[in-house]
Each structure stands twice: as structure tokens, then as C-alpha cells.
Amino acid sequence: MVFHPREGRSEEGGWSPAISRRDLLKGAAGVGAAMGLSSVLAACGAGASGKPTASLPSDLARPNHPVKWPIYSADKPIASGLSPERNATLKLYNWTAYINKKVVKNFEKKYNCTVQITTFNTMDEALAKLQTGQLDFDVFIPTVDVLGPLIESKQLRPLNHSYIPNITQAWKEFQNPFYDQGWRYTVPYTIYTTGIAWRKDKVAGEPSDMSNPWAFPWQGKYKGRVAILDDYRESMSLGLLKNGITNLNTTDVSQLTAAKKSLLKLAALTDVHIDNNDWRNVPSGQIWIHHAWSGDMAAAEYYMPKGTPVSVVGYWFPSDGKGPVANDTMAVLAGGQNPVLAHLFLNYFLDLHNALENIGWNGYMQPLNKVTPALLIKEQILPKALSSTVVRESDFNTGLQELELPASARAVWQQDWLEVSQGG
């Protein structure tokens, strides 16, 4: 499971311990204890060299291995030309604090309906509830890495494209994404990058000054003021990038071991903090260098101390786009009672005006052709000083995506992260 920047976030913009690092570590430790590390490595197909010999499962979607999901006879798209359900209650199942309720209210007025929002804090939590089969949500916001199991278990309803003409406003990449060829089951929702944030008034230089900018946090002179994300995929990936490894879905045990050692060195050098409070701790000046998510830093101006300009906050992501990128999707659930309204809801959030209102509150961009840095700045949605947080279409052509791992490889990633987060 790939972690998500909204995990644990409260509706007010704070973080709650819905899933703590301790809980994650207990889970990872359980894997290690049950199998033994040597067994875990063997499960990955690792030989004497420490490198896996097993091939990647064929059903894992990759940019160079796109997947076109089947449409099952027992789970077909709705017919074309149907009227929206009348006086209905559309049920949305979404991450906490991940949609602008003003935009939702506008949808209610347009279609004379009520939208009931139920939230979750982690994807594991959401999937567990959906798997009970006792819920009738209409719209869901899944991450890319869980689409296969949802589709194969017929929990997602295939889309009738005639109800979603606004897909033409989306980037070409998302009109035929590698993880859902032909967008049979999903439309794009939000997009984000993972880079490095820093306080320009506290730190000398910037990441781009270095031959390897990902090494920027490894500066002992800022001990106690450096943080990495509390996320085993994101921070292990930082360790990989620091070592020049760009395969962020690697199953190579030697590469993961080297990444772990780099992070342990970072901890010893800087007494590194591990948290997901980039959105708050960088603006406040508590942390001077933070491994960070673009959507969180885009909202930095709202958390700046009085009298401190947002221009002192920097966010770096490689100009060539070769850094971590990710997106979330919107999907229609098969068990929902309002499939026409559900389709129209997806279409509504692909409209430029509605998307801009949503981004202005949410902070996370949506991949529409006209959502540009210039427009976001003009509409005062984003300060010019943080235009580097904008995700570009080209970033998804060259970016590094953290995708679903084979279960055995995921256990190795988690075990290495356990050692890092416990200080070795």
C-alpha cells in the first residue's frame, strides 16, 4: 500500500493520529517476525547476491506495461440518455479534508440533490469498509495502486463516457492512463509531486546548487531542523534518489539496503524528524529543510507567522520532472443507488471553474489543460513564490511513480523503514 498525503489529516487542516507510525511499525515488525528477514528475502526471489530473481507479477500496471481492465457481464456500464436520479442523496466516500464543500453545495443546487460525505483517514480503512458489502456509496476516491483488486472484485462500476464530456478538459495522459487504459473505470482527481521544502531565510543555498539535489537534507549544520516524511514509500524513495537510483518500485534488496543506510546516516547527522507536518512546520520555521508534498506546500501562505512573507518558503522539484509524482482518481461504485448522478459528479469536478474553486481550498492541483501556473497566480489561488509546487503535464511523462509492489517486496521495504524509523 502506498501511503497518501491526506492520511490522518483533519477537516480543520491539522493532523490526527488515525494511523500512527507506531501502528505501521508494529505491522511491519509482524511481517518480519512471522517470516524472518531471510524468509522475506527468499520470498522476493533473492539469491546469494541479494538481488531478486523473480519477475514482476504481470497484473501490476506500469507506464511500460499498461493495463486495460475487462468489463464483466455481471458489471456493465449504465445505459446512455438516462435522467439524473430525482431528490436523491448522492453518497461520496472520500479522504478527510479533500474536497471543497462549497463546490459540492453548488453541485447540489444544480442537480437538486443532497451530497452526503463520509470520510476515511487511510486507504486500508476505506477498503475494509467497502469489502463488507454493506455500504452503498456512489462515488469513491481510490489511489492508483488499489484499482486492480477493486475492479476484479467488481466493486467499481464501469463508466459510460457519454455522461463525462469534460474529460476533454483533462490532460491527454489521463484520457488513456496506463493504470486504466481507455479510462474504463476512473477519471483523474488530484495530482502532486514530492520534493524538498526549505526556509530560505534559515538555510544557505538551495537544492539546485548541489550536484545531486536530493542530498540537500544531509547537512549536519542544520541538526534538529531537518525532517523527512513519515511514509515508508516516500522516504525510502528519498534514500534511493540520494544514491542515484530512480526506480522507485525496485525489488533489488541491495538498493533498498543502501537507501536504508543513507537514511540512517541522515538520522545520525541531523537528528532527523519523521513527520507529515510539512504544511505547518516549514511555514512556522520549526523545520528548515523538509522532504515535502507539493499540495501541502502550495498552502504554506495560510500558515505563515504574522509578518513573515511566504517568499521565505522554497519548494524544489527537479526541472526535468524526474522526481516522484502521483495522482488520485474518482470512480463510481457498483453498489451505489445513484449511478447517473455519480457520473455527473465526476464530470462536474473536471470542469475548469469548479476545479479552480476546489484547488483554492484543497491545495492539490487537478490535471486540466487550462490549470497553469499563470492562471493559478492570476486567480490568487497560488502565490508566485510557490509556483514551483505546480505539477506540469510533462512531469507525468518523465516523473517517477511509486506504484503497487509485489507483497513480498513490500515487506522488505517496510522492514528497512522499520529500522530507519527506530534509529537502526
Side-chain angles (χ1 to χ4, degrees):
M1 179 68 63
V2 178
F3 273 21
H4 190 278
R6 283 303 185 204
E7 294 203 357
R9 193 142 198 179
S10 74
E11 194 69 30
E12 292 74 29
W15 288 85
S16 61
I19 178 170
S20 68
R21 181 158 52 96
R22 183 178 299 276
D23 292 335
L24 168 65
L25 299 181
K26 284 170 64 179
V31 172
M35 299 180 67
L37 185 56
S38 61
S39 299
V40 172
L41 301 185
C44 279
S49 66
K51 295 184 178 181
T53 56
S55 59
L56 198 66
S58 60
D59 60 342
L60 296 183
R62 295 289 188 267
N64 61 354
H65 178 68
V67 173
K68 189 168 189 175
W69 299 105
I71 294 178
Y72 301 98
S73 58
D75 183 28
K76 292 185 177 181
I78 60 173
S80 301
L82 300 176
S83 298
E85 293 81 7
R86 296 172 60 88
N87 301 314
T89 297
L90 182 78
K91 297 182 180 181
L92 169 64
Y93 198 31
N94 190 17
W95 299 90
T96 300
Y98 207 33
I99 199 164
N100 187 344
K101 291 183 178 178
K102 179 182 177 182
V103 184
V104 173
K105 289 291 184 184
N106 291 340
F107 177 85
E108 290 177 325
K109 291 177 183 177
K110 180 172 182 176
Y111 291 103
N112 191 28
C113 68
T114 298
V115 177
Q116 181 183 98
I117 302 175
T118 302
T119 62
F120 55 86
N121 288 300
T122 74
M123 188 55 61
D124 282 342
E125 172 195 339
L127 296 177
K129 289 183 179 179
L130 290 176
Q131 287 167 2
T132 66
Q134 299 175 354
L135 304 174
D136 60 351
F137 296 120
D138 296 291
V139 177
F140 182 45
I141 313 294
T143 50
V144 168
D145 61 304
V146 302
L147 293 180
L150 286 170
I151 294 168
E152 290 168 351
S153 61
K154 304 178 182 62
Q155 293 188 72
L156 298 188
R157 188 188 300 274
L159 299 176
N160 181 324
H161 293 179
S162 68
Y163 296 99
I164 314 176
N166 285 339
I167 192 67
T168 59
Q169 296 191 42
W171 293 348
K172 185 177 180 181
E173 166 75 20
F174 292 106
Q175 295 183 41
N176 190 35
F178 71 89
Y179 55 81
D180 180 20
Q181 289 277 281
W183 63 288
R184 285 183 158 187
Y185 288 89
T186 65
V187 299
Y189 182 41
T190 56
I191 50 178
Y192 50 95
T193 63
T194 308
I196 297 173
W198 77 102
R199 281 291 296 259
K200 298 177 182 178
D201 56 339
K202 306 291 186 182
V203 175
E206 56 187 73
S208 59
D209 294 336
M210 306 182 73
S211 58
N212 180 358
W214 296 108
F216 196 66
W218 277 258
Q219 298 191 66
K221 59 185 175 181
Y222 302 121
K223 188 171 185 176
R225 300 290 187 172
V226 177
I228 59 175
L229 292 167
D230 190 359
D231 180 323
Y232 85 96
R233 286 301 296 276
E234 293 281 27
S235 286
M236 283 293 293
S237 291
L238 175 63
L240 290 169
L241 290 166
K242 198 266 184 182
N243 294 332
I245 304 299
T246 57
N247 178 6
L248 305 188
N249 304 294
T250 183
T251 59
D252 187 321
V253 176
S254 63
Q255 291 179 350
L256 294 171
T257 298
K260 174 185 68 177
K261 289 180 178 178
S262 290
L263 294 174
L264 289 171
K265 183 176 180 180
L266 174 66
L269 188 65
T270 67
D271 193 21
V272 71
H273 293 251
I274 300 176
D275 64 61
N276 289 338
N277 295 330
D278 52 344
W279 59 276
R280 178 178 64 196
N281 289 347
V282 175
S284 71
Q286 181 178 337
I287 293 295
W288 297 350
I289 300 175
H290 206 311
H291 183 214
W293 283 302
S294 61
D296 283 352
M297 301 319 302
E301 66 176 324
Y302 301 110
Y303 301 96
M304 301 300 299
K306 188 175 181 179
T308 304
V310 71
S311 59
V312 303
V313 174
Y315 177 79
W316 173 87
F317 183 76
S319 58
D320 62 5
K322 293 182 179 178
V325 295
N327 72 283
D328 286 343
T329 70
M330 279 191 170
V332 176
L333 287 166
Q337 302 302 304
N338 305 288
V340 180
L341 272 175
H343 279 71
L344 296 175
F345 190 84
L346 270 58
N347 189 59
Y348 197 77
F349 277 82
L350 288 170
D351 174 77
L352 177 64
H353 173 76
N354 301 327
L356 288 174
E357 277 204 285
N358 193 46
I359 295 167
W361 181 88
N362 189 22
Y364 282 78
M365 280 186 60
Q366 294 176 230
L368 303 185
N369 292 319
K370 293 186 178 180
V371 176
T372 63
L375 181 62
L376 293 174
I377 293 168
K378 178 183 176 182
E379 296 293 328
Q380 299 184 343
I381 293 172
L382 182 72
K384 186 175 182 180
L386 288 172
S387 59
S388 58
T389 63
V390 172
V391 187
R392 303 160 299 181
E393 185 170 6
S394 59
D395 293 335
F396 274 86
N397 297 326
T398 58
L400 313 175
Q401 300 190 50
E402 298 164 11
L403 302 170
E404 184 180 1
L405 294 168
S408 52
R410 184 170 65 247
V412 179
W413 277 72
Q414 290 178 330
Q415 178 65 34
D416 285 341
W417 175 243
L418 173 64
E419 294 183 43
V420 170
S421 57
Q422 290 189 336

PDB file of all heavy atoms in Angstrom, residues 163-188:
ATOM      1  N   TYR A 163     -21.673  10.485 -20.260  1.00  0.00           N
ATOM      2  CA  TYR A 163     -22.040  11.374 -19.154  1.00  0.00           C
ATOM      3  C   TYR A 163     -20.865  12.243 -18.670  1.00  0.00           C
ATOM      4  O   TYR A 163     -21.035  13.071 -17.781  1.00  0.00           O
ATOM      5  CB  TYR A 163     -22.555  10.559 -17.961  1.00  0.00           C
ATOM      6  CG  TYR A 163     -23.828   9.799 -18.224  1.00  0.00           C
ATOM      7  CD1 TYR A 163     -23.800   8.444 -18.542  1.00  0.00           C
ATOM      8  CD2 TYR A 163     -25.073  10.423 -18.154  1.00  0.00           C
ATOM      9  CE1 TYR A 163     -24.966   7.729 -18.784  1.00  0.00           C
ATOM     10  CE2 TYR A 163     -26.251   9.720 -18.399  1.00  0.00           C
ATOM     11  CZ  TYR A 163     -26.188   8.367 -18.718  1.00  0.00           C
ATOM     12  OH  TYR A 163     -27.351   7.669 -18.957  1.00  0.00           O
ATOM     13  N   ILE A 164     -19.677  12.017 -19.232  1.00  0.00           N
ATOM     14  CA  ILE A 164     -18.490  12.700 -18.722  1.00  0.00           C
ATOM     15  C   ILE A 164     -17.755  13.414 -19.862  1.00  0.00           C
ATOM     16  O   ILE A 164     -16.592  13.138 -20.159  1.00  0.00           O
ATOM     17  CB  ILE A 164     -17.559  11.701 -18.002  1.00  0.00           C
ATOM     18  CG1 ILE A 164     -18.372  10.804 -17.059  1.00  0.00           C
ATOM     19  CG2 ILE A 164     -16.465  12.432 -17.213  1.00  0.00           C
ATOM     20  CD1 ILE A 164     -17.556   9.728 -16.368  1.00  0.00           C
ATOM     21  N   PRO A 165     -18.417  14.351 -20.543  1.00  0.00           N
ATOM     22  CA  PRO A 165     -17.764  15.045 -21.663  1.00  0.00           C
ATOM     23  C   PRO A 165     -16.586  15.911 -21.228  1.00  0.00           C
ATOM     24  O   PRO A 165     -15.716  16.219 -22.051  1.00  0.00           O
ATOM     25  CB  PRO A 165     -18.900  15.895 -22.255  1.00  0.00           C
ATOM     26  CG  PRO A 165     -19.860  16.099 -21.118  1.00  0.00           C
ATOM     27  CD  PRO A 165     -19.809  14.813 -20.342  1.00  0.00           C
ATOM     28  N   ASN A 166     -16.556  16.313 -19.967  1.00  0.00           N
ATOM     29  CA  ASN A 166     -15.465  17.183 -19.513  1.00  0.00           C
ATOM     30  C   ASN A 166     -14.121  16.482 -19.445  1.00  0.00           C
ATOM     31  O   ASN A 166     -13.110  17.130 -19.165  1.00  0.00           O
ATOM     32  CB  ASN A 166     -15.799  17.780 -18.139  1.00  0.00           C
ATOM     33  CG  ASN A 166     -16.838  18.882 -18.218  1.00  0.00           C
ATOM     34  OD1 ASN A 166     -17.037  19.484 -19.275  1.00  0.00           O
ATOM     35  ND2 ASN A 166     -17.522  19.133 -17.107  1.00  0.00           N
ATOM     36  N   ILE A 167     -14.098  15.197 -19.740  1.00  0.00           N
ATOM     37  CA  ILE A 167     -12.803  14.506 -19.783  1.00  0.00           C
ATOM     38  C   ILE A 167     -11.903  15.165 -20.824  1.00  0.00           C
ATOM     39  O   ILE A 167     -10.662  15.093 -20.721  1.00  0.00           O
ATOM     40  CB  ILE A 167     -12.980  13.002 -20.101  1.00  0.00           C
ATOM     41  CG1 ILE A 167     -11.679  12.222 -19.866  1.00  0.00           C
ATOM     42  CG2 ILE A 167     -13.478  12.798 -21.513  1.00  0.00           C
ATOM     43  CD1 ILE A 167     -11.240  12.124 -18.436  1.00  0.00           C
ATOM     44  N   THR A 168     -12.490  15.843 -21.797  1.00  0.00           N
ATOM     45  CA  THR A 168     -11.691  16.518 -22.821  1.00  0.00           C
ATOM     46  C   THR A 168     -10.896  17.686 -22.238  1.00  0.00           C
ATOM     47  O   THR A 168      -9.959  18.163 -22.864  1.00  0.00           O
ATOM     48  CB  THR A 168     -12.575  17.039 -23.960  1.00  0.00           C
ATOM     49  OG1 THR A 168     -13.546  17.958 -23.429  1.00  0.00           O
ATOM     50  CG2 THR A 168     -13.293  15.891 -24.662  1.00  0.00           C
ATOM     51  N   GLN A 169     -11.272  18.148 -21.039  1.00  0.00           N
ATOM     52  CA  GLN A 169     -10.520  19.217 -20.383  1.00  0.00           C
ATOM     53  C   GLN A 169      -9.275  18.682 -19.674  1.00  0.00           C
ATOM     54  O   GLN A 169      -8.403  19.451 -19.273  1.00  0.00           O
ATOM     55  CB  GLN A 169     -11.412  19.947 -19.362  1.00  0.00           C
ATOM     56  CG  GLN A 169     -12.590  20.675 -19.989  1.00  0.00           C
ATOM     57  CD  GLN A 169     -13.284  21.598 -19.005  1.00  0.00           C
ATOM     58  OE1 GLN A 169     -12.635  22.308 -18.230  1.00  0.00           O
ATOM     59  NE2 GLN A 169     -14.610  21.616 -19.026  1.00  0.00           N
ATOM     60  N   ALA A 170      -9.217  17.362 -19.498  1.00  0.00           N
ATOM     61  CA  ALA A 170      -8.102  16.754 -18.769  1.00  0.00           C
ATOM     62  C   ALA A 170      -6.894  16.576 -19.683  1.00  0.00           C
ATOM     63  O   ALA A 170      -7.002  16.524 -20.910  1.00  0.00           O
ATOM     64  CB  ALA A 170      -8.517  15.409 -18.198  1.00  0.00           C
ATOM     65  N   TRP A 171      -5.732  16.478 -19.047  1.00  0.00           N
ATOM     66  CA  TRP A 171      -4.519  16.203 -19.796  1.00  0.00           C
ATOM     67  C   TRP A 171      -4.670  14.910 -20.594  1.00  0.00           C
ATOM     68  O   TRP A 171      -5.350  13.969 -20.163  1.00  0.00           O
ATOM     69  CB  TRP A 171      -3.336  16.038 -18.839  1.00  0.00           C
ATOM     70  CG  TRP A 171      -2.945  17.278 -18.116  1.00  0.00           C
ATOM     71  CD1 TRP A 171      -3.349  18.563 -18.361  1.00  0.00           C
ATOM     72  CD2 TRP A 171      -2.050  17.346 -16.997  1.00  0.00           C
ATOM     73  NE1 TRP A 171      -2.747  19.423 -17.472  1.00  0.00           N
ATOM     74  CE2 TRP A 171      -1.950  18.713 -16.626  1.00  0.00           C
ATOM     75  CE3 TRP A 171      -1.321  16.394 -16.289  1.00  0.00           C
ATOM     76  CZ2 TRP A 171      -1.154  19.131 -15.566  1.00  0.00           C
ATOM     77  CZ3 TRP A 171      -0.518  16.813 -15.237  1.00  0.00           C
ATOM     78  CH2 TRP A 171      -0.433  18.168 -14.875  1.00  0.00           C
ATOM     79  N   LYS A 172      -4.011  14.877 -21.723  1.00  0.00           N
ATOM     80  CA  LYS A 172      -4.065  13.706 -22.592  1.00  0.00           C
ATOM     81  C   LYS A 172      -3.652  12.434 -21.852  1.00  0.00           C
ATOM     82  O   LYS A 172      -4.229  11.363 -22.049  1.00  0.00           O
ATOM     83  CB  LYS A 172      -3.152  13.925 -23.806  1.00  0.00           C
ATOM     84  CG  LYS A 172      -3.222  12.817 -24.842  1.00  0.00           C
ATOM     85  CD  LYS A 172      -2.354  13.157 -26.044  1.00  0.00           C
ATOM     86  CE  LYS A 172      -2.419  12.054 -27.083  1.00  0.00           C
ATOM     87  NZ  LYS A 172      -1.556  12.373 -28.263  1.00  0.00           N
ATOM     88  N   GLU A 173      -2.655  12.559 -20.965  1.00  0.00           N
ATOM     89  CA  GLU A 173      -2.171  11.415 -20.183  1.00  0.00           C
ATOM     90  C   GLU A 173      -3.298  10.728 -19.435  1.00  0.00           C
ATOM     91  O   GLU A 173      -3.317   9.500 -19.301  1.00  0.00           O
ATOM     92  CB  GLU A 173      -1.112  11.904 -19.181  1.00  0.00           C
ATOM     93  CG  GLU A 173      -0.743  10.925 -18.082  1.00  0.00           C
ATOM     94  CD  GLU A 173       0.130   9.794 -18.579  1.00  0.00           C
ATOM     95  OE1 GLU A 173       0.752   9.953 -19.647  1.00  0.00           O
ATOM     96  OE2 GLU A 173       0.190   8.759 -17.894  1.00  0.00           O
ATOM     97  N   PHE A 174      -4.275  11.501 -18.967  1.00  0.00           N
ATOM     98  CA  PHE A 174      -5.337  10.944 -18.141  1.00  0.00           C
ATOM     99  C   PHE A 174      -6.591  10.601 -18.928  1.00  0.00           C
ATOM    100  O   PHE A 174      -7.590  10.179 -18.351  1.00  0.00           O
ATOM    101  CB  PHE A 174      -5.651  11.899 -16.988  1.00  0.00           C
ATOM    102  CG  PHE A 174      -4.516  11.992 -16.003  1.00  0.00           C
ATOM    103  CD1 PHE A 174      -3.711  13.118 -15.949  1.00  0.00           C
ATOM    104  CD2 PHE A 174      -4.224  10.934 -15.157  1.00  0.00           C
ATOM    105  CE1 PHE A 174      -2.655  13.195 -15.058  1.00  0.00           C
ATOM    106  CE2 PHE A 174      -3.168  10.993 -14.268  1.00  0.00           C
ATOM    107  CZ  PHE A 174      -2.383  12.124 -14.216  1.00  0.00           C
ATOM    108  N   GLN A 175      -6.532  10.782 -20.246  1.00  0.00           N
ATOM    109  CA  GLN A 175      -7.622  10.300 -21.082  1.00  0.00           C
ATOM    110  C   GLN A 175      -7.370   8.870 -21.545  1.00  0.00           C
ATOM    111  O   GLN A 175      -8.234   8.251 -22.156  1.00  0.00           O
ATOM    112  CB  GLN A 175      -7.805  11.234 -22.280  1.00  0.00           C
ATOM    113  CG  GLN A 175      -8.255  12.637 -21.876  1.00  0.00           C
ATOM    114  CD  GLN A 175      -8.515  13.540 -23.073  1.00  0.00           C
ATOM    115  OE1 GLN A 175      -9.079  13.116 -24.081  1.00  0.00           O
ATOM    116  NE2 GLN A 175      -8.108  14.802 -22.968  1.00  0.00           N
ATOM    117  N   ASN A 176      -6.178   8.379 -21.240  1.00  0.00           N
ATOM    118  CA  ASN A 176      -5.854   6.978 -21.526  1.00  0.00           C
ATOM    119  C   ASN A 176      -4.709   6.549 -20.612  1.00  0.00           C
ATOM    120  O   ASN A 176      -3.623   6.193 -21.075  1.00  0.00           O
ATOM    121  CB  ASN A 176      -5.448   6.809 -22.996  1.00  0.00           C
ATOM    122  CG  ASN A 176      -5.353   5.344 -23.395  1.00  0.00           C
ATOM    123  OD1 ASN A 176      -6.115   4.504 -22.938  1.00  0.00           O
ATOM    124  ND2 ASN A 176      -4.396   5.037 -24.265  1.00  0.00           N
ATOM    125  N   PRO A 177      -4.925   6.590 -19.284  1.00  0.00           N
ATOM    126  CA  PRO A 177      -3.830   6.340 -18.341  1.00  0.00           C
ATOM    127  C   PRO A 177      -3.355   4.893 -18.380  1.00  0.00           C
ATOM    128  O   PRO A 177      -4.126   3.972 -18.650  1.00  0.00           O
ATOM    129  CB  PRO A 177      -4.452   6.676 -16.989  1.00  0.00           C
ATOM    130  CG  PRO A 177      -5.916   6.455 -17.181  1.00  0.00           C
ATOM    131  CD  PRO A 177      -6.204   6.856 -18.594  1.00  0.00           C
ATOM    132  N   PHE A 178      -2.070   4.698 -18.108  1.00  0.00           N
ATOM    133  CA  PHE A 178      -1.504   3.346 -18.161  1.00  0.00           C
ATOM    134  C   PHE A 178      -2.152   2.408 -17.163  1.00  0.00           C
ATOM    135  O   PHE A 178      -2.206   1.201 -17.385  1.00  0.00           O
ATOM    136  CB  PHE A 178       0.014   3.399 -17.925  1.00  0.00           C
ATOM    137  CG  PHE A 178       0.411   3.732 -16.514  1.00  0.00           C
ATOM    138  CD1 PHE A 178       0.581   2.740 -15.562  1.00  0.00           C
ATOM    139  CD2 PHE A 178       0.609   5.058 -16.135  1.00  0.00           C
ATOM    140  CE1 PHE A 178       0.938   3.057 -14.262  1.00  0.00           C
ATOM    141  CE2 PHE A 178       0.969   5.375 -14.832  1.00  0.00           C
ATOM    142  CZ  PHE A 178       1.138   4.379 -13.889  1.00  0.00           C
ATOM    143  N   TYR A 179      -2.657   2.948 -16.047  1.00  0.00           N
ATOM    144  CA  TYR A 179      -3.228   2.107 -14.998  1.00  0.00           C
ATOM    145  C   TYR A 179      -4.706   1.768 -15.260  1.00  0.00           C
ATOM    146  O   TYR A 179      -5.294   0.955 -14.561  1.00  0.00           O
ATOM    147  CB  TYR A 179      -3.085   2.781 -13.629  1.00  0.00           C
ATOM    148  CG  TYR A 179      -3.671   4.173 -13.577  1.00  0.00           C
ATOM    149  CD1 TYR A 179      -5.035   4.394 -13.410  1.00  0.00           C
ATOM    150  CD2 TYR A 179      -2.847   5.287 -13.705  1.00  0.00           C
ATOM    151  CE1 TYR A 179      -5.571   5.671 -13.388  1.00  0.00           C
ATOM    152  CE2 TYR A 179      -3.372   6.577 -13.678  1.00  0.00           C
ATOM    153  CZ  TYR A 179      -4.735   6.753 -13.518  1.00  0.00           C
ATOM    154  OH  TYR A 179      -5.261   8.030 -13.500  1.00  0.00           O
ATOM    155  N   ASP A 180      -5.306   2.407 -16.276  1.00  0.00           N
ATOM    156  CA  ASP A 180      -6.709   2.173 -16.610  1.00  0.00           C
ATOM    157  C   ASP A 180      -6.924   2.586 -18.059  1.00  0.00           C
ATOM    158  O   ASP A 180      -7.562   3.588 -18.356  1.00  0.00           O
ATOM    159  CB  ASP A 180      -7.621   2.967 -15.659  1.00  0.00           C
ATOM    160  CG  ASP A 180      -9.106   2.768 -15.938  1.00  0.00           C
ATOM    161  OD1 ASP A 180      -9.462   1.763 -16.581  1.00  0.00           O
ATOM    162  OD2 ASP A 180      -9.911   3.625 -15.497  1.00  0.00           O
ATOM    163  N   GLN A 181      -6.363   1.795 -18.963  1.00  0.00           N
ATOM    164  CA  GLN A 181      -6.419   2.115 -20.384  1.00  0.00           C
ATOM    165  C   GLN A 181      -7.867   2.312 -20.836  1.00  0.00           C
ATOM    166  O   GLN A 181      -8.746   1.489 -20.553  1.00  0.00           O
ATOM    167  CB  GLN A 181      -5.767   1.003 -21.193  1.00  0.00           C
ATOM    168  CG  GLN A 181      -4.246   0.958 -21.042  1.00  0.00           C
ATOM    169  CD  GLN A 181      -3.553   1.945 -21.966  1.00  0.00           C
ATOM    170  OE1 GLN A 181      -3.391   1.692 -23.149  1.00  0.00           O
ATOM    171  NE2 GLN A 181      -3.143   3.078 -21.420  1.00  0.00           N
ATOM    172  N   GLY A 182      -8.075   3.438 -21.557  1.00  0.00           N
ATOM    173  CA  GLY A 182      -9.420   3.743 -22.024  1.00  0.00           C
ATOM    174  C   GLY A 182     -10.291   4.340 -20.943  1.00  0.00           C
ATOM    175  O   GLY A 182     -11.508   4.467 -21.146  1.00  0.00           O
ATOM    176  N   TRP A 183      -9.680   4.706 -19.808  1.00  0.00           N
ATOM    177  CA  TRP A 183     -10.405   5.203 -18.616  1.00  0.00           C
ATOM    178  C   TRP A 183     -11.754   4.510 -18.444  1.00  0.00           C
ATOM    179  O   TRP A 183     -12.787   5.109 -18.303  1.00  0.00           O
ATOM    180  CB  TRP A 183     -10.496   6.731 -18.615  1.00  0.00           C
ATOM    181  CG  TRP A 183     -11.251   7.411 -19.743  1.00  0.00           C
ATOM    182  CD1 TRP A 183     -10.881   7.543 -21.043  1.00  0.00           C
ATOM    183  CD2 TRP A 183     -12.501   8.109 -19.608  1.00  0.00           C
ATOM    184  NE1 TRP A 183     -11.814   8.259 -21.757  1.00  0.00           N
ATOM    185  CE2 TRP A 183     -12.816   8.626 -20.896  1.00  0.00           C
ATOM    186  CE3 TRP A 183     -13.378   8.355 -18.554  1.00  0.00           C
ATOM    187  CZ2 TRP A 183     -13.982   9.370 -21.146  1.00  0.00           C
ATOM    188  CZ3 TRP A 183     -14.533   9.090 -18.813  1.00  0.00           C
ATOM    189  CH2 TRP A 183     -14.821   9.583 -20.092  1.00  0.00           C
ATOM    190  N   ARG A 184     -11.677   3.205 -18.389  1.00  0.00           N
ATOM    191  CA  ARG A 184     -12.905   2.413 -18.263  1.00  0.00           C
ATOM    192  C   ARG A 184     -13.561   2.549 -16.890  1.00  0.00           C
ATOM    193  O   ARG A 184     -14.783   2.406 -16.766  1.00  0.00           O
ATOM    194  CB  ARG A 184     -12.606   0.940 -18.542  1.00  0.00           C
ATOM    195  CG  ARG A 184     -12.394   0.625 -20.007  1.00  0.00           C
ATOM    196  CD  ARG A 184     -12.185  -0.854 -20.239  1.00  0.00           C
ATOM    197  NE  ARG A 184     -12.485  -1.213 -21.622  1.00  0.00           N
ATOM    198  CZ  ARG A 184     -12.524  -2.449 -22.095  1.00  0.00           C
ATOM    199  NH1 ARG A 184     -12.257  -3.472 -21.265  1.00  0.00           N
ATOM    200  NH2 ARG A 184     -12.819  -2.686 -23.347  1.00  0.00           N
ATOM    201  N   TYR A 185     -12.751   2.802 -15.869  1.00  0.00           N
ATOM    202  CA  TYR A 185     -13.288   2.811 -14.501  1.00  0.00           C
ATOM    203  C   TYR A 185     -13.007   4.090 -13.723  1.00  0.00           C
ATOM    204  O   TYR A 185     -13.596   4.281 -12.656  1.00  0.00           O
ATOM    205  CB  TYR A 185     -12.718   1.627 -13.711  1.00  0.00           C
ATOM    206  CG  TYR A 185     -13.272   0.290 -14.135  1.00  0.00           C
ATOM    207  CD1 TYR A 185     -12.663  -0.456 -15.150  1.00  0.00           C
ATOM    208  CD2 TYR A 185     -14.404  -0.235 -13.521  1.00  0.00           C
ATOM    209  CE1 TYR A 185     -13.183  -1.685 -15.545  1.00  0.00           C
ATOM    210  CE2 TYR A 185     -14.919  -1.466 -13.910  1.00  0.00           C
ATOM    211  CZ  TYR A 185     -14.305  -2.183 -14.924  1.00  0.00           C
ATOM    212  OH  TYR A 185     -14.825  -3.409 -15.310  1.00  0.00           O
ATOM    213  N   THR A 186     -12.122   4.939 -14.195  1.00  0.00           N
ATOM    214  CA  THR A 186     -11.725   6.105 -13.402  1.00  0.00           C
ATOM    215  C   THR A 186     -11.578   7.360 -14.247  1.00  0.00           C
ATOM    216  O   THR A 186     -11.351   7.298 -15.460  1.00  0.00           O
ATOM    217  CB  THR A 186     -10.364   5.857 -12.713  1.00  0.00           C
ATOM    218  OG1 THR A 186      -9.342   5.722 -13.723  1.00  0.00           O
ATOM    219  CG2 THR A 186     -10.379   4.622 -11.841  1.00  0.00           C
ATOM    220  N   VAL A 187     -11.687   8.501 -13.556  1.00  0.00           N
ATOM    221  CA  VAL A 187     -11.248   9.778 -14.108  1.00  0.00           C
ATOM    222  C   VAL A 187     -10.237  10.343 -13.116  1.00  0.00           C
ATOM    223  O   VAL A 187     -10.225   9.966 -11.938  1.00  0.00           O
ATOM    224  CB  VAL A 187     -12.420  10.769 -14.311  1.00  0.00           C
ATOM    225  CG1 VAL A 187     -13.443  10.205 -15.280  1.00  0.00           C
ATOM    226  CG2 VAL A 187     -13.071  11.143 -12.980  1.00  0.00           C
ATOM    227  N   PRO A 188      -9.368  11.250 -13.542  1.00  0.00           N
ATOM    228  CA  PRO A 188      -8.377  11.805 -12.609  1.00  0.00           C
ATOM    229  C   PRO A 188      -9.020  12.765 -11.629  1.00  0.00           C
ATOM    230  O   PRO A 188      -9.991  13.449 -11.955  1.00  0.00           O
ATOM    231  CB  PRO A 188      -7.404  12.531 -13.544  1.00  0.00           C
ATOM    232  CG  PRO A 188      -8.249  12.932 -14.720  1.00  0.00           C
ATOM    233  CD  PRO A 188      -9.219  11.791 -14.910  1.00  0.00           C
TER     234      PRO A 188
END
